[in-house]
Amino acid sequence: MRDIRGGGIGMIFQEPATSLNPVLTVGRQIVEALELHSALRGAAARERAEELLDQVGIPDPRRRLDEFPFQLSGGLRQRVMIAIALAGSPRLLIADEPTTALDVTIQAQVLDLLDDLRHRQDMALLLITHDLGVVARMADRIGVMYAGQLVEEAPREQFFAQPAHPYSVRLFAALPDAERRGGRLATIPGSVPAAEVRHVGCRFADRCGEVMAECRTSPPPWREIESGQRVRCILPGAAPAVPQKSAPATRRLRTIPGRCSRSATCRCISRSAAASCSAPSARCARWTACRCN
């Protein structure tokens, strides 16, 4: 199994700070992987470790070999993790949420690096993520997993054009949208079942808006929706879209007289009666709710 782990299959873990050994230098940890999966030893292994650090974009790689993980930033630690994973020249690289602990700029750099490496080394990349933006940027083919089980597979373009499984549809409905600003986001009722729960039927049945009696009695089979897209669901076609709650047409603002930030006239509504005022809002003398034009 050691020939497969690290050799045939490489792994990049979610949090490099807890995955790297804090008492060993960066160079020692890379050399350890090289000695396990290649014939390199001594100075040759150290030279190869330096090449790997340079390959993943770490500046001054010779100096970094003798540094400890706590001396590196989060982005550099993640690059060291990638270098260790590449030390065995794997045919498949599994990246488990590789950008979760990084800021947005470093996230983009790490994703660009992974994409470049997989093309240059003719290597398959299995990317595990909750971020649909990362999926849209990186994936060729997408698999949606719920409660430890794949429920939908599709090419990227087809999946984003028309998700088919009820869970996939609700994931997209929960995304913020500028057109629905001020409205309520759609949510998926209930919670993910515990890992020890034994499922008889569909694992999403308790949270699905299209659930039927058959869903609770037997596991749904794989069914092809279109060429290349299949779903684990008994619905005859793709799941229907989730209705969205639109934003209110008018937004009422509570303001303090003389401090309204809008340079327009306002229509003030007092407690006694409604009145229209053409005076600039900055000179409004009423303590009321105002609706600014």
Side-chain angles (χ1 to χ4, degrees):
M1 285 300 294
R2 284 195 172 189
D3 292 336
I4 298 175
R5 289 197 298 257
I9 302 175
M11 181 79 180
I12 303 171
F13 294 97
Q14 182 172 348
E15 180 49 71
T18 58
S19 301
L20 294 171
N21 192 324
V23 298
L24 296 180
T25 63
V26 166
R28 181 69 193 94
Q29 296 184 63
I30 300 176
V31 167
E32 182 181 12
L34 288 169
E35 291 176 346
L36 186 61
H37 298 291
S38 71
L40 297 176
R41 299 291 184 274
R46 183 177 173 84
E47 183 178 348
R48 175 57 180 157
E50 183 180 340
E51 291 176 1
L52 287 170
L53 289 184
D54 183 62
Q55 187 177 349
V56 298
I58 292 181
D60 197 2
R62 180 168 298 181
R63 178 172 63 87
R64 300 293 187 182
L65 285 174
D66 297 318
E67 292 186 346
F68 291 89
F70 72 86
Q71 295 176 278
L72 306 178
S73 66
L76 290 180
R77 283 197 294 262
Q78 192 62 279
R79 290 172 187 266
V80 170
M81 284 292 303
I82 297 173
I84 294 175
L86 295 176
S89 301
R91 297 185 301 276
L92 169 64
L93 182 62
I94 302 175
D96 181 12
E97 297 277 6
T99 60
T100 298
L102 307 176
D103 62 59
V104 176
T105 303
I106 305 301
Q107 281 184 17
Q109 294 175 3
V110 170
L111 291 175
D112 288 340
L113 173 62
L114 290 173
D115 195 44
D116 178 61
L117 287 171
R118 73 182 177 113
H119 285 99
R120 281 197 285 125
Q121 300 194 15
D122 194 23
M123 175 180 62
L125 175 64
L126 176 59
L127 181 63
I128 303 169
T129 181
H130 291 86
D131 191 332
L132 287 174
V134 172
V135 174
R137 174 175 179 169
M138 295 289 292
D140 297 316
R141 185 168 180 82
I142 297 168
V144 180
M145 180 173 282
Y146 180 80
Q149 183 183 65
L150 279 173
V151 296
E152 182 172 355
E153 290 182 10
R156 176 181 57 189
E157 293 78 8
Q158 203 160 316
F159 176 75
F160 279 92
Q162 186 178 21
H165 193 275
Y167 177 55
S168 304
V169 172
R170 281 159 175 76
L171 285 180
F172 279 97
L175 291 175
D177 188 343
E179 295 181 357
R180 303 197 305 270
R181 187 182 298 274
R184 295 179 63 87
L185 292 176
T187 58
I188 304 176
S191 58
V192 179
E196 66 270 13
V197 173
R198 298 180 67 88
H199 301 273
V200 177
C202 175
R203 301 189 180 193
F204 190 62
D206 291 338
R207 308 179 70 188
C208 182
E210 291 78 36
V211 63
M212 295 178 280
E214 185 181 350
C215 300
R216 303 183 186 277
T217 58
S218 60
W222 281 108
R223 186 171 51 79
E224 189 165 356
I225 300 293
E226 292 186 24
S227 178
Q229 182 177 20
R230 61 177 190 155
V231 62
R232 198 187 293 269
C233 185
I234 64 173
L235 291 176
V242 178
Q244 301 291 340
K245 296 181 179 180
S246 59
T250 303
R251 298 182 64 186
R252 295 258 180 145
L253 305 175
R254 294 294 298 182
T255 64
I256 299 175
R259 296 187 184 177
C260 183
S261 62
R262 306 202 183 185
S263 58
T265 60
C266 72
R267 294 191 299 276
C268 296
I269 304 172
S270 66
R271 291 185 178 181
S272 57
S276 295
C277 174
S278 61
S281 56
R283 298 206 305 258
C284 183
R286 303 189 184 210
W287 178 279
T288 58
C290 89
R291 185 171 62 233
C292 296
N293 295 325

